[in-house]
Amino acid sequence: LLATTSADQTVKLWSVGNYDLVQTLHGHQRWVWDLDFSADSQFLVTGSSDNTARSWNVSQPETICVFNGHPKAVISVALWDARA
């Protein structure tokens, strides 16, 4: 699975086997700058110009949690997964 971020406010998940679009994640209100997968690739975290980070379940197009509190854009994220 390949994930891309975009100025269109989405995260797109792609199959690396056949290059098809698998899923589009919606929720951010501005440019999505960065993402990081969990160690088991079941979850990802994104950062956006809407001043939030979000965690996502990769198997469903839904936000698990919105992390608020930054006064400006979240341009980088890193996920340390203790389960790994």
Side-chain angles (χ1 to χ4, degrees):
L1 198 63
L2 169 74
T4 57
T5 63
S6 177
D8 70 2
Q9 307 170 4
T10 68
V11 175
K12 294 194 183 293
L13 305 177
W14 307 86
S15 167
V16 292
N18 59 15
Y19 311 109
D20 287 339
L21 177 63
V22 175
Q23 196 163 72
T24 301
L25 304 178
H26 298 273
H28 282 294
Q29 302 303 307
R30 297 191 63 194
W31 189 305
V32 184
W33 286 94
D34 195 20
L35 65 82
D36 194 11
F37 277 100
S38 63
D40 63 5
S41 298
Q42 297 301 307
F43 304 94
L44 56 84
V45 176
T46 56
S48 170
S49 289
D50 65 8
N51 304 353
T52 68
R54 290 177 178 258
S55 60
W56 305 83
N57 183 332
V58 172
S59 65
Q60 300 174 13
E62 63 184 33
T63 299
I64 297 170
C65 182
V66 178
F67 300 91
N68 293 298
H70 285 279
K72 295 190 178 184
V74 178
I75 58 171
S76 181
V77 296
L79 178 63
W80 180 66
D81 192 346
R83 296 176 295 167

